[in-house]
Amino acid sequence: MNFLITGAAGFLGSSLANQLAREGHLVRGLDDLSSGDPDALYKDVHFTRGDVNDRPKLWSLLQDVDCVYHLAARVRVAESLLYPREYTEVNVGGTVSLMEAMRDVGVRRVVFASSGAVYGDQQEQPLNEAAAPNPRSPYAVSKLAAEYYVRTIGALWGIETVCLRIFNAYGPGQHLPPSHPPVVPAWLRQAMRGGSLVVHGEGRQTRDFIYVNDVVRSLTAAATAPDVNQLVVNVGSGQETSMRDLAQSILRITGSDAEILDAPRSEAGASRMCADTTLAAKMLGFQPRTSLEDGLRQTLQEDPRFAQAVRA
Ligand code: NAD
């Protein structure tokens, strides 16, 4: 098959692009490199640097494409509180630009990388797709708005759509920015350097951590699964892990004697998050395979940045 992946140089995009290329598909990648790294891509991924709002570029990249994976986005929840306009421009505007270009060219299917963040705080766990969204950040709002645009424009113009609500993905190659980095690579680095791991509110907040290879398997399944048009599907491990348990697993696996420090509960983010993956199992044949401990070990072994942290 022929694919276009937006955000192809990012953490999930590059893993997906490389997997599809390994399987012998023709893969084009688009990324503006605002955070992505094109060196993460295999040579046979056809990479173009560009903005997801650049419609002429999209028109040419979409020629003969069977399925688009739309992953390009600004992805930092905390940053979105400061820059909601930018998050709307890229995450919502970029999605609409892409959908318009797909309509113009005539592409059959799009798989959109949405987020578990759209659920926000909910009483009922695990989170089922039927729960009313309760987004708590401009990032989460932008993902929910983009889902609606994908489904609405898709229904109007006969483009098949699948929105995957991905929970907390982690694994080798995850972007590690200096401010507000994702918790798994940030804590792995801290543990390897002997720094402290700061947990808020006694570490009782929970998240559903899913290893990158499992996310990639859900994405590849979504390109060809039958009867998924217009669906929104959770992609998580189905395991609820408290931040304190995550910190302890990281210390155990790294053998680090770093300290866990307690800080007051931060108001940002939902208290609990765990995906109900029943629909993913039924519609995508998806079962997560990698436990948190195995995924953390693989991340440590395969990501050269943590080896550097040991030497530093
Ligand atoms: P990432 O930041 O590594 O990847 C996003 C990529 O998009 C980056 O390479 C960036 O350079 C690119 N990009 C940003 N703005 C762009 C623009 N205007 N035009 C073209 N490219 C642009 O993040 P990721 O973790 O790989 O996430 C990929 C997708 O999955 C995102 O849409 C994100 O919202 C979604 N998602 C990720 C997670 C997770 O835990 N990693 C969870 C839920 C949803």
Side-chain angles (χ1 to χ4, degrees):
M1 282 174 73
N2 290 358
F3 292 98
L4 172 67
I5 303 173
T6 72
F11 165 50
L12 297 179
S14 57
S15 303
L16 172 66
N18 293 342
Q19 176 59 29
L20 292 172
R22 261 197 300 269
E23 290 173 10
H25 299 290
L26 196 144
V27 187
R28 295 183 191 139
L30 173 72
D31 199 298
D32 72 350
L33 302 185
S34 50
S35 68
D37 175 9
D39 292 339
L41 293 168
Y42 290 173
K43 293 279 171 289
D44 40 6
V45 174
H46 303 271
F47 178 71
T48 301
R49 182 174 186 169
D51 194 304
V52 75
N53 271 303
D54 182 343
R55 285 201 299 150
K57 197 163 264 175
L58 289 172
W59 287 326
S60 66
L61 288 173
L62 285 169
Q63 298 300 320
D64 303 319
V65 161
D66 304 300
C67 176
V68 172
Y69 285 106
H70 180 37
L71 278 69
R74 301 281 291 261
V75 302
R76 288 154 67 190
V77 172
E79 185 188 61
S80 77
L81 309 187
L82 299 174
Y83 306 107
R85 189 177 52 81
E86 277 88 338
Y87 273 70
T88 308
E89 268 171 25
V90 176
N91 297 5
V92 185
T95 301
V96 175
S97 300
L98 177 67
M99 292 303 295
E100 276 191 19
M102 286 182 59
R103 171 203 64 191
D104 297 343
V105 174
V107 177
R108 185 175 56 80
R109 184 176 287 196
V110 60
V111 179
F112 171 57
S114 183
S115 170
V118 304
Y119 290 109
D121 251 326
Q122 304 271 347
Q123 292 292 329
E124 289 280 313
Q125 301 282 338
L127 295 158
N128 182 275
E129 291 84 352
N134 181 22
R136 305 254 308 211
S137 66
Y139 168 74
V141 172
S142 74
K143 285 291 174 183
L144 184 60
E147 271 186 15
Y148 280 121
Y149 273 115
V150 164
R151 296 172 69 196
T152 305
I153 298 173
L156 287 170
W157 294 97
I159 305 164
E160 294 173 6
T161 69
V162 190
C163 296
L164 300 184
R165 288 185 178 161
I166 302 166
F167 282 64
N168 282 64
Y170 69 97
Q174 187 164 20
H175 189 221
L176 194 40
S179 67
H180 305 296
V183 64
V184 170
W187 281 3
L188 282 174
R189 186 173 59 182
Q190 282 295 90
M192 299 305 282
R193 286 181 170 169
S196 43
L197 312 188
V198 180
V199 299
H200 294 269
E202 298 167 16
R204 274 196 287 225
Q205 215 176 26
T206 67
R207 289 293 178 267
D208 181 323
F209 294 100
I210 177 157
Y211 190 59
V212 57
N213 292 3
D214 283 333
V215 177
V216 167
R217 283 189 307 101
S218 75
L219 288 162
T220 55
T224 51
D227 307 322
V228 289
N229 186 24
Q230 291 284 316
L231 282 188
V232 170
V233 184
N234 287 341
V235 172
S237 67
Q239 301 296 318
E240 186 174 11
T241 303
S242 75
M243 299 310 273
R244 183 167 294 277
D245 284 348
L246 174 68
Q248 282 164 346
S249 294
I250 285 179
L251 295 186
R252 194 165 44 249
I253 284 160
T254 54
S256 167
D257 52 11
E259 258 184 303
I260 299 178
L261 291 184
D262 280 290
R265 166 135 166 64
S266 123
E267 284 315 307
S271 329
R272 292 180 62 193
M273 291 204 78
C274 182
D276 177 341
T277 58
T278 311
L279 191 63
K282 183 169 172 224
M283 302 310 294
L284 304 177
F286 172 73
Q287 295 291 346
R289 287 185 190 156
T290 310
S291 69
L292 181 59
E293 297 237 339
D294 286 349
L296 291 171
R297 273 197 198 90
Q298 287 178 42
T299 307
L300 210 52
Q301 281 161 8
E302 291 172 26
D303 193 323
R305 292 173 301 176
F306 302 121
Q308 277 160 18
V310 183
R311 283 197 294 272

